[in-house]
Amino acid sequence: MGWFWAEHTPAAAQTPSGHPPVPGDRTPPSGCPMHQKTLDALNPNEKPRSQGPAASGCPVPHEARNAEDKRSTSLLSQLNPLNYMFPDLSQQRAPHQTLALPTSREESTIPKGSGDGTWEYPSPQQMYNALLRKGYTDTDITAVESMVSVHNFLNEGAWAEIIGWEQRFSQGLYKGWQVCRRGEAHTLEELERNWDGNELEPSLIRFQGRPKDLTPKATMLQVLGWIYPSKFGTEPPFDRHDWYVSRDVDGERQQIRYVIDYYSGEPEPTGEPVFYLDVRPAATPRGAAERIIRWSTDVWWKAIGGDKREQDPQPFFRHNSSKPWG
């Protein structure tokens, strides 16, 4: 993932269909400038430098390093800082492209942090051009439309999960506890009860794809899977995103970071792929508190049989009950 949302270019919206698997394990070719490194100073096989007494220049090869830095910087400078995508994704057919791809773009339901509408997904042609520019020259062009479809579907699902967190905690931890105290099954009831109509809609400021960086939770699950594979064994997430969401806190807009792990599941009997999204606030002090409240209240409500107690209220301690030693 990590490819969506280029700069806006007016085009008719088109809803994609089908959700075939997304190849998430491709790596850029060795020629990609983002993966070249300068190791001259650390290479033991390099030819020894001149050790003459008149040598007064700096031994570090600044020219080679500067050239490498310029190559990396030149690529980064081309990317949109909001989504690390090329801002001018072409709709033109790529050289040697054998199959025509649609140029229509789908409008998302995700509001922009800037307030000017919603984010727009790239067209299949833009997606293909972006893949080529980032070094994925072996991309199967026949799978690009399916990749866009799955990509849009997953990111809409991720935003729906974020909306759920924001509905619970955008008004503070205590209000969040009130919404969560009867467990996940009663969230809608508590939201209606605690809804005051003044909550502002969250919006997405920017995001960053980090497919090579395992989150602490994903790392812990991999360790548990190694220790207890029958219970915790699972493949690592095929992608990770960090989304920065604008939240209204006491009339002030604040930036909240969410972490998303993307997992692949066993395909359906019909062959359709299955994906799991683990969406939660980043482990900041406030984000950790929100995660603990939501998880602990649901566990506690189930442990005490909350639904049954509501139907047949009973005190925790019965003073008139018979004593086993009496």
Side-chain angles (χ1 to χ4, degrees), residues 180-321:
C180 297
R181 63 190 176 90
R182 295 174 62 221
E184 290 290 302
H186 298 279
T187 297
L188 293 179
E189 300 172 38
E190 294 301 322
L191 281 174
E192 292 180 3
R193 182 177 303 173
N194 292 276
W195 184 267
D196 58 17
N198 297 323
E199 292 82 356
L200 296 180
E201 184 181 28
S203 57
L204 180 62
I205 301 172
R206 61 188 177 90
F207 74 93
Q208 182 179 10
R210 303 173 61 184
K212 302 300 182 183
D213 299 333
L214 280 182
T215 62
K217 182 177 180 180
T219 302
M220 185 180 299
L221 289 175
Q222 291 304 301
V223 173
L224 290 174
W226 177 73
I227 298 174
Y228 197 172
S230 61
K231 183 174 179 62
F232 297 101
T234 182
E235 292 293 323
F238 64 84
D239 198 6
R240 168 192 172 175
H241 279 186
D242 287 8
W243 288 20
Y244 297 83
V245 174
S246 177
R247 173 191 294 180
D248 180 78
V249 180
D250 297 328
E252 179 183 351
R253 302 299 283 184
Q254 295 186 5
Q255 182 173 276
I256 308 298
R257 182 165 67 96
Y258 282 88
V259 179
I260 309 169
D261 284 325
Y262 296 79
Y263 292 90
S264 296
E266 291 294 328
E268 296 284 358
T270 58
E272 295 181 352
V274 175
F275 301 101
Y276 300 97
L277 303 183
D278 188 357
V279 183
R280 68 274 186 194
T284 60
R286 177 167 54 186
E290 293 177 1
R291 291 160 70 168
I292 291 172
I293 290 172
R294 185 171 180 180
W295 172 79
S296 62
T297 50
D298 186 56
V299 172
W300 173 252
W301 185 259
K302 293 176 180 177
I304 66 172
D307 291 336
K308 184 176 181 180
R309 286 180 177 277
E310 284 188 336
Q311 297 171 4
D312 182 22
Q314 295 289 339
F316 280 99
F317 302 101
R318 298 182 182 181
H319 299 288
N320 59 351
S321 61

Side-chain angles (χ1 to χ4, degrees), residues 30 32-40 64-65 68 71-72:
S30 58
C32 178
M34 294 297 292
H35 295 264
Q36 296 175 359
K37 298 180 180 179
T38 301
L39 299 177
D40 298 339
R65 178 174 297 178
E68 182 65 28
R71 283 196 294 271
S72 298

Side-chain angles (χ1 to χ4, degrees), residues 63-92:
E63 294 183 0
R65 178 174 297 178
N66 290 339
E68 182 65 28
D69 290 343
K70 287 180 180 179
R71 283 196 294 271
S72 298
T73 304
S74 63
L75 180 58
L76 287 175
S77 64
Q78 299 176 40
L79 303 182
N80 183 345
L82 295 180
N83 55 15
Y84 290 88
M85 280 295 296
F86 297 102
D88 57 342
L89 289 180
S90 173
Q91 294 275 27
Q92 299 299 318

Side-chain angles (χ1 to χ4, degrees), residues 16-20 145-146 149-150 153:
S17 60
H19 307 130
E145 290 188 66
S146 298
S149 175
V150 172
F153 171 77

